[in-house]
Amino acid sequence: MTTETVPQKPVLLTGASGALGRVLTRALGEQGWALRLTDRAPFPAPLPAGARFQLADLEDGPAILRLAEGCGTILHFGGISVEHPFETVIGPNIRGLYHVYEAARREGARMIFASSNHAIGFHPRSAVLDDDCSLAPDGFYGLSKAYGELMGGLYRDKHGVESVFLRIGSCFPEPTDARMLATWLSYADLTRLIARATLAPSLGPAGSVVIWAASNNSRMTWWRRDGRAVIGWTPQDSADSYAAALEGKTSGDPVVERYQGGGFAGIDYSRAAPPR
Ligand SMILES: NC(=O)C1=CN([C@@H]2O[C@H](COP(=O)(O)OP(=O)(O)OC[C@H]3O[C@@H](n4cnc5c(N)ncnc54)[C@H](O)[C@@H]3O)[C@@H](O)[C@H]2O)C=CC1
Ligand SMILES: O=C(O)[C@H]1OC(=O)[C@H](O)[C@@H](O)[C@@H]1O
């Protein structure tokens, strides 16, 4: 038996011009994937063979539906990616997300949603979380990710749309502070995770899985059971080799150090844009 390494249908990647979108475009393009790329910002590098890019805003529903035509998987990485006032987040991350889920429903595509640790960021670091833990967003951004997971549940239960919810920790070239000794996800582990999430023949009886998306970091003691066995993903990298350099690099702020979401838990935009 041969293991499939390239999806049979094209894959739509939103947020292609962003940090992780560019990483995935390069890595999956090199593996011969047929990529349909989109972002509201131009793609800042040459496109790999087999990739097409189209500028679009996630808030433009008809454009998103057209882009998804014929795709078997949607990698949804577009949107606001850090804490911002509510009015900034709602368009891309809520209305835009709805357009992407509608596209997945119409195409019968599997959704791989870049959720975030900030969907559960108000859990204390002393808590040990399984994939069915309560959502505990640490701001408007985290709230939009929690809403995205709930929307995925609705589209699964009502329309049979499959979803992989990636609760990504901190995905950067390397960890840069003590918190990331727990939360870091290497680019290579992300790429392998996306491949397994896309190519896994089934997401099990539930039709959706939650993945704690961090590398094999021994300091990640907050996250336990998830759906990685269902898709066949095992992280291979680790932040441990950075420990000597980063262990003392904490914020000194008790709020930041207490919660899993770190600095986002301490940002307060609640009065940034009063209702009109
Ligand atoms: N990098 C990380 O450590 C983590 C990232 N994530 C999620 O992964 C995804 C990708 O993250 P990054 O690449 O780091 O973020 P990024 O900010 O570099 O990329 C996001 C992309 O979305 C695009 N975008 C924003 N609003 C849009 C709209 N209305 N229409 C079309 N495109 C729009 C932006 O132009 C940007 O290129 C995001 O959804 C983020 O929330 C989640 C947890 C951790
Ligand atoms: O918590 C973290 O480290 C990361 O979480 C996220 O969701 C953000 O997209 C990223 O910019 C943060 O650095």
CSV table of all heavy atoms in Angstrom, one decimal, residues 70-109:
chain,number,residue,atom,x,y,z
A,70,GLY,N,-14.1,23.6,-6.5
A,70,GLY,CA,-13.3,22.4,-6.9
A,70,GLY,C,-12.3,22.0,-5.8
A,70,GLY,O,-11.6,21.0,-6.0
A,71,CYS,N,-12.2,22.7,-4.7
A,71,CYS,CA,-11.2,22.4,-3.7
A,71,CYS,C,-11.8,21.4,-2.7
A,71,CYS,O,-12.9,21.4,-2.4
A,71,CYS,CB,-10.8,23.7,-2.9
A,71,CYS,SG,-9.9,24.8,-3.9
A,72,GLY,N,-10.9,20.5,-2.3
A,72,GLY,CA,-11.3,19.4,-1.3
A,72,GLY,C,-10.9,19.7,0.1
A,72,GLY,O,-11.4,19.1,1.0
A,73,THR,N,-10.1,20.7,0.3
A,73,THR,CA,-9.6,21.1,1.6
A,73,THR,C,-9.5,22.6,1.6
A,73,THR,O,-9.0,23.2,0.7
A,73,THR,CB,-8.2,20.5,2.0
A,73,THR,OG1,-8.3,19.1,1.7
A,73,THR,CG2,-7.9,20.7,3.4
A,74,ILE,N,-9.8,23.2,2.8
A,74,ILE,CA,-9.6,24.7,3.0
A,74,ILE,C,-8.7,24.8,4.2
A,74,ILE,O,-9.0,24.4,5.3
A,74,ILE,CB,-10.9,25.5,3.2
A,74,ILE,CG1,-11.8,25.3,1.9
A,74,ILE,CG2,-10.5,27.0,3.4
A,74,ILE,CD1,-13.1,26.0,2.0
A,75,LEU,N,-7.5,25.4,4.0
A,75,LEU,CA,-6.6,25.8,5.1
A,75,LEU,C,-6.9,27.2,5.5
A,75,LEU,O,-6.5,28.1,4.7
A,75,LEU,CB,-5.1,25.6,4.7
A,75,LEU,CG,-4.7,24.3,4.0
A,75,LEU,CD1,-3.3,24.3,3.7
A,75,LEU,CD2,-5.0,23.1,4.9
A,76,HIS,N,-7.6,27.4,6.6
A,76,HIS,CA,-8.1,28.8,6.8
A,76,HIS,C,-7.1,29.5,7.8
A,76,HIS,O,-7.2,29.3,9.0
A,76,HIS,CB,-9.5,28.8,7.4
A,76,HIS,CG,-10.1,30.2,7.6
A,76,HIS,ND1,-9.8,31.2,6.7
A,76,HIS,CD2,-10.8,30.7,8.6
A,76,HIS,CE1,-10.4,32.3,7.2
A,76,HIS,NE2,-11.0,32.0,8.3
A,77,PHE,N,-6.2,30.2,7.2
A,77,PHE,CA,-5.2,30.9,8.0
A,77,PHE,C,-5.3,32.4,7.9
A,77,PHE,O,-4.5,33.2,8.5
A,77,PHE,CB,-3.8,30.5,7.6
A,77,PHE,CG,-3.4,29.2,8.2
A,77,PHE,CD1,-4.0,28.0,7.9
A,77,PHE,CD2,-2.3,29.1,9.1
A,77,PHE,CE1,-3.6,26.8,8.4
A,77,PHE,CE2,-1.9,27.9,9.7
A,77,PHE,CZ,-2.6,26.7,9.4
A,78,GLY,N,-6.3,32.9,7.2
A,78,GLY,CA,-6.4,34.4,7.0
A,78,GLY,C,-7.2,35.0,8.2
A,78,GLY,O,-7.9,34.4,8.9
A,79,GLY,N,-6.9,36.3,8.4
A,79,GLY,CA,-7.7,37.0,9.4
A,79,GLY,C,-6.8,37.8,10.3
A,79,GLY,O,-5.5,37.8,10.1
A,80,ILE,N,-7.4,38.4,11.3
A,80,ILE,CA,-6.7,39.2,12.3
A,80,ILE,C,-6.0,38.2,13.2
A,80,ILE,O,-6.6,37.2,13.7
A,80,ILE,CB,-7.6,40.1,13.1
A,80,ILE,CG1,-8.3,41.1,12.2
A,80,ILE,CG2,-6.9,40.8,14.3
A,80,ILE,CD1,-7.4,42.0,11.4
A,81,SER,N,-4.7,38.3,13.4
A,81,SER,CA,-3.9,37.2,14.1
A,81,SER,C,-3.4,37.6,15.5
A,81,SER,O,-2.7,36.8,16.1
A,81,SER,CB,-2.8,36.8,13.2
A,81,SER,OG,-1.9,37.9,13.0
A,82,VAL,N,-3.8,38.8,16.0
A,82,VAL,CA,-3.4,39.2,17.3
A,82,VAL,C,-4.5,40.0,17.9
A,82,VAL,O,-5.5,40.3,17.3
A,82,VAL,CB,-2.1,40.0,17.3
A,82,VAL,CG1,-0.8,39.2,17.0
A,82,VAL,CG2,-2.2,41.2,16.5
A,83,GLU,N,-4.4,40.3,19.2
A,83,GLU,CA,-5.4,41.0,19.9
A,83,GLU,C,-5.6,42.4,19.3
A,83,GLU,O,-4.7,43.2,19.1
A,83,GLU,CB,-5.1,41.1,21.4
A,83,GLU,CG,-6.2,41.8,22.3
A,83,GLU,CD,-7.6,41.1,22.2
A,83,GLU,OE1,-7.8,40.2,21.4
A,83,GLU,OE2,-8.4,41.5,23.0
A,84,HIS,N,-6.9,42.8,19.1
A,84,HIS,CA,-7.3,44.1,18.5
A,84,HIS,C,-8.7,44.4,19.1
A,84,HIS,O,-9.4,43.5,19.6
A,84,HIS,CB,-7.4,44.0,17.0
A,84,HIS,CG,-6.1,44.3,16.3
A,84,HIS,ND1,-5.5,45.5,16.3
A,84,HIS,CD2,-5.3,43.5,15.6
A,84,HIS,CE1,-4.4,45.5,15.6
A,84,HIS,NE2,-4.2,44.2,15.2
A,85,PRO,N,-9.1,45.7,18.9
A,85,PRO,CA,-10.5,46.0,19.3
A,85,PRO,C,-11.5,45.2,18.6
A,85,PRO,O,-11.3,44.7,17.5
A,85,PRO,CB,-10.6,47.5,19.0
A,85,PRO,CG,-9.2,48.0,19.0
A,85,PRO,CD,-8.3,46.8,18.5
A,86,PHE,N,-12.6,45.0,19.2
A,86,PHE,CA,-13.7,44.2,18.7
A,86,PHE,C,-14.1,44.6,17.2
A,86,PHE,O,-14.2,43.7,16.4
A,86,PHE,CB,-15.0,44.4,19.6
A,86,PHE,CG,-16.2,43.6,19.1
A,86,PHE,CD1,-16.2,42.2,19.3
A,86,PHE,CD2,-17.2,44.2,18.5
A,86,PHE,CE1,-17.3,41.5,18.9
A,86,PHE,CE2,-18.3,43.5,18.0
A,86,PHE,CZ,-18.4,42.1,18.3
A,87,GLU,N,-14.2,45.9,16.9
A,87,GLU,CA,-14.6,46.3,15.6
A,87,GLU,C,-13.6,45.9,14.5
A,87,GLU,O,-13.9,45.8,13.4
A,87,GLU,CB,-14.8,47.8,15.6
A,87,GLU,CG,-16.0,48.3,16.4
A,87,GLU,CD,-17.4,47.8,16.0
A,87,GLU,OE1,-17.5,47.3,14.8
A,87,GLU,OE2,-18.3,47.9,16.7
A,88,THR,N,-12.3,45.7,14.9
A,88,THR,CA,-11.3,45.3,13.9
A,88,THR,C,-11.4,43.8,13.7
A,88,THR,O,-11.1,43.4,12.6
A,88,THR,CB,-9.9,45.7,14.5
A,88,THR,OG1,-9.9,47.0,14.9
A,88,THR,CG2,-8.8,45.4,13.5
A,89,VAL,N,-11.7,43.1,14.7
A,89,VAL,CA,-11.7,41.6,14.6
A,89,VAL,C,-13.0,41.1,13.9
A,89,VAL,O,-12.9,40.1,13.1
A,89,VAL,CB,-11.6,41.0,16.0
A,89,VAL,CG1,-11.8,39.5,16.0
A,89,VAL,CG2,-10.3,41.4,16.7
A,90,ILE,N,-14.1,41.7,14.1
A,90,ILE,CA,-15.4,41.1,13.7
A,90,ILE,C,-15.5,40.8,12.2
A,90,ILE,O,-16.0,39.8,11.8
A,90,ILE,CB,-16.6,41.9,14.3
A,90,ILE,CG1,-17.9,41.1,14.0
A,90,ILE,CG2,-16.7,43.3,13.7
A,90,ILE,CD1,-19.1,41.7,14.7
A,91,GLY,N,-15.0,41.7,11.4
A,91,GLY,CA,-15.2,41.6,9.9
A,91,GLY,C,-14.4,40.4,9.4
A,91,GLY,O,-15.0,39.4,8.9
A,92,PRO,N,-13.1,40.4,9.5
A,92,PRO,CA,-12.3,39.3,9.0
A,92,PRO,C,-12.5,38.0,9.7
A,92,PRO,O,-12.7,36.9,9.1
A,92,PRO,CB,-10.8,39.7,9.2
A,92,PRO,CG,-10.9,41.2,9.3
A,92,PRO,CD,-12.2,41.5,9.9
A,93,ASN,N,-12.6,38.0,11.0
A,93,ASN,CA,-12.6,36.7,11.8
A,93,ASN,C,-14.0,36.1,12.1
A,93,ASN,O,-14.1,35.0,12.4
A,93,ASN,CB,-11.9,37.0,13.1
A,93,ASN,CG,-10.4,37.1,13.0
A,93,ASN,OD1,-9.9,37.5,11.9
A,93,ASN,ND2,-9.6,36.8,14.0
A,94,ILE,N,-15.1,36.9,11.9
A,94,ILE,CA,-16.4,36.4,12.1
A,94,ILE,C,-17.1,36.3,10.8
A,94,ILE,O,-17.5,35.2,10.3
A,94,ILE,CB,-17.2,37.2,13.2
A,94,ILE,CG1,-16.4,37.3,14.5
A,94,ILE,CG2,-18.6,36.6,13.4
A,94,ILE,CD1,-16.3,36.0,15.2
A,95,ARG,N,-17.3,37.4,10.1
A,95,ARG,CA,-18.0,37.4,8.8
A,95,ARG,C,-17.2,36.6,7.8
A,95,ARG,O,-17.7,35.8,7.1
A,95,ARG,CB,-18.3,38.8,8.4
A,95,ARG,CG,-19.4,38.9,7.3
A,95,ARG,CD,-19.8,40.4,7.0
A,95,ARG,NE,-20.4,41.0,8.2
A,95,ARG,CZ,-19.8,42.0,8.9
A,95,ARG,NH1,-18.6,42.5,8.5
A,95,ARG,NH2,-20.4,42.6,9.9
A,96,GLY,N,-15.9,36.9,7.8
A,96,GLY,CA,-15.0,36.2,6.9
A,96,GLY,C,-15.0,34.7,7.1
A,96,GLY,O,-15.1,33.9,6.2
A,97,LEU,N,-15.0,34.3,8.4
A,97,LEU,CA,-15.0,32.9,8.7
A,97,LEU,C,-16.3,32.2,8.2
A,97,LEU,O,-16.3,31.1,7.7
A,97,LEU,CB,-14.9,32.8,10.2
A,97,LEU,CG,-15.1,31.4,10.8
A,97,LEU,CD1,-13.7,30.7,10.9
A,97,LEU,CD2,-15.7,31.4,12.2
A,98,TYR,N,-17.4,32.9,8.3
A,98,TYR,CA,-18.7,32.4,7.9
A,98,TYR,C,-18.6,32.1,6.3
A,98,TYR,O,-19.1,31.1,5.9
A,98,TYR,CB,-19.8,33.4,8.2
A,98,TYR,CG,-21.1,33.2,7.4
A,98,TYR,CD1,-21.9,32.1,7.5
A,98,TYR,CD2,-21.5,34.2,6.5
A,98,TYR,CE1,-23.0,31.9,6.7
A,98,TYR,CE2,-22.6,34.1,5.7
A,98,TYR,CZ,-23.4,32.9,5.8
A,98,TYR,OH,-24.5,32.8,5.0
A,99,HIS,N,-18.0,33.1,5.6
A,99,HIS,CA,-17.9,32.9,4.2
A,99,HIS,C,-17.1,31.6,3.9
A,99,HIS,O,-17.4,30.8,2.9
A,99,HIS,CB,-17.3,34.1,3.5
A,99,HIS,CG,-18.1,35.3,3.6
A,99,HIS,ND1,-17.6,36.6,3.7
A,99,HIS,CD2,-19.5,35.5,3.7
A,99,HIS,CE1,-18.5,37.5,3.8
A,99,HIS,NE2,-19.7,36.8,3.8
A,100,VAL,N,-16.0,31.4,4.6
A,100,VAL,CA,-15.2,30.2,4.4
A,100,VAL,C,-15.9,28.9,4.7
A,100,VAL,O,-15.8,27.9,4.0
A,100,VAL,CB,-13.8,30.4,5.2
A,100,VAL,CG1,-13.0,29.2,4.9
A,100,VAL,CG2,-13.1,31.6,4.7
A,101,TYR,N,-16.7,28.9,5.8
A,101,TYR,CA,-17.5,27.7,6.2
A,101,TYR,C,-18.6,27.5,5.1
A,101,TYR,O,-18.8,26.3,4.8
A,101,TYR,CB,-18.0,27.8,7.6
A,101,TYR,CG,-17.2,27.0,8.5
A,101,TYR,CD1,-16.4,27.6,9.5
A,101,TYR,CD2,-17.1,25.6,8.4
A,101,TYR,CE1,-15.6,26.9,10.3
A,101,TYR,CE2,-16.3,24.8,9.2
A,101,TYR,CZ,-15.5,25.5,10.2
A,101,TYR,OH,-14.7,24.7,11.0
A,102,GLU,N,-19.2,28.6,4.6
A,102,GLU,CA,-20.2,28.4,3.5
A,102,GLU,C,-19.5,27.7,2.3
A,102,GLU,O,-20.1,26.8,1.7
A,102,GLU,CB,-20.8,29.7,3.2
A,102,GLU,CG,-22.1,30.0,3.9
A,102,GLU,CD,-23.1,28.9,3.7
A,102,GLU,OE1,-23.6,28.8,2.5
A,102,GLU,OE2,-23.4,28.2,4.6
A,103,ALA,N,-18.3,28.2,2.0
A,103,ALA,CA,-17.6,27.6,0.9
A,103,ALA,C,-17.3,26.1,1.1
A,103,ALA,O,-17.5,25.3,0.2
A,103,ALA,CB,-16.3,28.4,0.6
A,104,ALA,N,-16.9,25.8,2.3
A,104,ALA,CA,-16.6,24.4,2.7
A,104,ALA,C,-17.9,23.5,2.5
A,104,ALA,O,-17.8,22.4,2.0
A,104,ALA,CB,-16.1,24.3,4.1
A,105,ARG,N,-19.0,24.1,3.0
A,105,ARG,CA,-20.3,23.3,2.9
A,105,ARG,C,-20.6,23.1,1.4
A,105,ARG,O,-20.9,22.0,1.0
A,105,ARG,CB,-21.4,24.1,3.5
A,105,ARG,CG,-22.7,23.5,3.5
A,105,ARG,CD,-23.8,24.3,4.1
A,105,ARG,NE,-24.2,25.5,3.3
A,105,ARG,CZ,-24.9,25.5,2.2
A,105,ARG,NH1,-25.4,24.4,1.8
A,105,ARG,NH2,-25.2,26.6,1.6
A,106,ARG,N,-20.5,24.1,0.6
A,106,ARG,CA,-20.9,24.0,-0.8
A,106,ARG,C,-20.0,23.0,-1.6
A,106,ARG,O,-20.5,22.3,-2.5
A,106,ARG,CB,-20.8,25.3,-1.5
A,106,ARG,CG,-21.9,26.2,-1.0
A,106,ARG,CD,-22.0,27.5,-1.9
A,106,ARG,NE,-22.8,28.4,-1.2
A,106,ARG,CZ,-23.6,29.3,-1.8
A,106,ARG,NH1,-23.5,29.4,-3.1
A,106,ARG,NH2,-24.3,30.2,-1.1
A,107,GLU,N,-18.7,23.0,-1.2
A,107,GLU,CA,-17.8,22.1,-1.9
A,107,GLU,C,-17.6,20.7,-1.3
A,107,GLU,O,-17.0,19.9,-1.8
A,107,GLU,CB,-16.4,22.8,-1.9
A,107,GLU,CG,-16.3,24.1,-2.7
A,107,GLU,CD,-16.8,24.0,-4.1
A,107,GLU,OE1,-16.5,23.0,-4.8
A,107,GLU,OE2,-17.4,25.0,-4.6
A,108,GLY,N,-18.2,20.5,-0.1
A,108,GLY,CA,-18.0,19.3,0.6
A,108,GLY,C,-16.5,19.2,1.0
A,108,GLY,O,-16.0,18.1,1.1
A,109,ALA,N,-15.9,20.3,1.3
A,109,ALA,CA,-14.5,20.3,1.6
A,109,ALA,C,-14.2,20.2,3.1
A,109,ALA,O,-15.1,20.6,3.9
A,109,ALA,CB,-13.9,21.7,1.1
